[in-house]
Amino acid sequence: MGTGVLKRYKDLLPITPSTPIFSLGEGETPLITAPRLAEKIGCKELYFKFEGCNPTGSFKDRGMVVAVAKAMEEGSKRIICASTGNTSASAAAYGAYCGLESWVVVPKGNIAMGKLAQALMYGTRVIAIEGNFDEALSIVRALVKSSPITLVNSVNPYRIEGQKTAAFEIVDELGKAPDMLCIPVGNAGNITAYWRGFVQYCKLGKSGSTPMMLGFEAAGAAPIVEGRVIESPQTVASAIRIGNPASWQGAVQARDESGGIIDSVTDEEILESYHTLASDVGVFGEPASAASLAGLFKLARGGTMDLSSKSVVCVVTGMGLKDPDTALKTRADIIETPAELEAVRNALGL
Ligand code: F0G
């Protein structure tokens, strides 16, 4: 254990004898059970797959380790990505580990502070464009056509391959697939990857079923739900502020083949679940990560699906510490007192 995704799932990944095997400790993230919240929602079992426990604090590390290993195998010296923050942190870290030059292109002013700090600390070159993620992605896609740089966004198939390992872990731990998987949807690579993982495990006979895939976009950035490209996506969940997802088809396929849904949740619903997850379960995810729980709440409220016999896994895609601004903007109830026993006693109402 503690060996990383490449070693642990070697036989289920596109690894050859010449693929370098290394790890920053990605994968094997906790599956946290939440019985009190399950009761409140009305489902049989509820778990949170806390991907914030990956080395750079998001699920991206699972895919990045495979993409960077393959880039090394192919002799690449440089990697590049567009990002709302987490992909850039991950690319920068794995690039640093492997001694590759890394570049990231991010939407100026719309990336959480912690993610920017990570990219800078890992020594990547950060280019902030006056535009959104979709524009950044089309720029880097064009760049790699004419320059010898490896693109490590999830359009790189090795990213999806690595990310499917989270589905393997869930089945390995539960002993079967859950009935439902709730997951935030941005560029739609992760829902595509989980579905691939569940289907592969089922075909291998490691699970008897696959879950219903429930993907959730932010309401101001919901191209799949609305069936059209959103030119100027808006949401407090900056990680999923995406109007033209690269893996759109993959998400639709996951939804349709699993008999699931892709729906949207408002910023208000996202923030409410962001707080609930932290204060009722002790899991501090980032705002985008709370879209999965917000979606489950919405489903439960809607009453169209009987959840009472269902086991549900919500994916918490990234660590809340990455975005202290949103936390402090929405939770500011600090009581200030003089440094005196009585003052503190009074403040506590004792
Ligand atoms: N949650 C978090 C925390 C993310 O960072 C992302 C995507 C998603 C969910 C959505 O996953 O794109 O596979 O549908 N972040 C990308 C990035 C876009 O650049 O870091 P998806």
Side-chain angles (χ1 to χ4, degrees):
M1 292 298 163
T3 49
V5 159
L6 292 173
K7 205 165 178 180
R8 192 162 177 225
Y9 293 109
K10 207 166 168 187
D11 299 338
L12 303 174
L13 292 171
I15 287 173
T16 71
S18 46
T19 312
I21 302 293
F22 57 89
S23 173
L24 283 175
E26 65 290 327
E28 291 181 83
T29 55
L31 188 66
I32 300 162
T33 177
R36 278 187 291 121
L37 200 52
E39 202 179 324
K40 194 159 148 190
I41 289 170
C43 56
K44 187 166 158 241
E45 288 162 17
L46 176 60
Y47 303 89
F48 293 97
K49 180 68 172 161
F50 192 16
E51 289 290 283
C53 292
N54 278 296
T56 75
S58 87
F59 69 94
K60 307 284 180 179
D61 296 338
R62 295 177 182 276
M64 198 58 70
V65 73
V66 182
V68 170
K70 295 304 279 187
M72 297 283 288
E73 182 180 345
E74 287 155 15
S76 176
K77 301 273 181 275
R78 291 165 159 181
I79 55 173
I80 193 167
C81 67
S83 180
T84 55
N86 281 325
T87 303
S88 61
S90 189
Y94 285 87
Y97 183 83
C98 292
L100 299 176
E101 197 175 351
S102 65
W103 296 336
V104 305
V105 182
V106 299
K108 186 176 158 192
N110 274 302
I111 132 164
M113 203 170 65
K115 302 176 188 179
L116 197 56
Q118 286 181 291
L120 293 168
M121 278 303 293
Y122 292 129
T124 195
R125 194 172 309 167
V126 178
I127 295 145
I129 61 160
E130 285 165 7
N132 61 32
F133 169 84
D134 303 291
E135 291 166 296
L137 184 58
S138 64
I139 289 169
V140 295
R141 288 179 95 156
L143 264 176
V144 298
K145 277 192 191 139
S146 53
S147 310
I149 316 175
T150 304
L151 183 62
V152 293
N153 278 104
S154 56
V155 290
N156 177 327
Y158 300 125
R159 280 276 315 280
I160 305 282
E161 282 294 304
Q163 283 170 212
K164 75 184 178 187
T165 60
F168 297 164
E169 287 180 14
I170 291 171
V171 175
D172 285 342
E173 192 156 348
L174 294 179
K176 60 182 172 115
D179 296 315
M180 296 173 161
L181 185 99
C182 298
I183 184 166
V185 175
N187 210 24
N190 213 25
I191 188 170
T192 304
Y194 269 81
W195 182 238
R196 186 179 299 176
F198 285 124
V199 168
Q200 189 174 356
Y201 245 33
C202 203
K203 283 189 183 148
L204 289 169
K206 297 203 180 221
S207 67
S209 62
T210 51
M212 191 184 276
M213 301 292 285
L214 311 172
F216 298 99
E217 298 183 307
I224 302 176
V225 175
E226 294 186 26
R228 65 183 177 97
V229 170
I230 307 293
E231 293 296 338
S232 182
Q234 300 297 337
T235 170
V236 67
S238 60
I240 52 171
R241 191 169 170 270
I242 293 172
N244 188 12
S247 298
W248 191 316
Q249 279 320 312
V252 167
Q253 193 181 341
R255 177 194 67 192
D256 295 346
E257 289 181 4
S258 74
I261 56 165
I262 294 182
D263 198 357
S264 63
V265 283
T266 65
D267 278 4
E268 207 183 346
E269 289 168 327
I270 288 173
L271 289 176
E272 200 183 327
S273 287
Y274 169 63
H275 290 136
T276 300
L277 190 57
S279 62
D280 288 22
V281 191
V283 172
F284 186 19
E286 63 173 284
S289 304
S292 41
L293 178 59
L296 180 60
F297 269 120
K298 183 174 177 184
L299 203 68
R301 268 198 319 274
T304 48
M305 225 179 265
D306 180 19
L307 300 175
S308 61
S309 61
K310 305 286 189 224
S311 61
V312 186
V313 172
C314 289
V315 183
V316 180
T317 46
M319 165 62 76
L321 286 172
K322 284 172 174 274
D323 187 1
D325 286 341
T326 304
L328 294 171
K329 249 187 242 157
T330 57
R331 271 282 181 273
D333 31 13
I334 300 169
I335 305 166
E336 295 185 3
T337 75
E340 290 160 11
L341 176 63
E342 273 316 297
V344 174
R345 203 195 295 279
N346 285 339
L348 292 172
L350 294 171

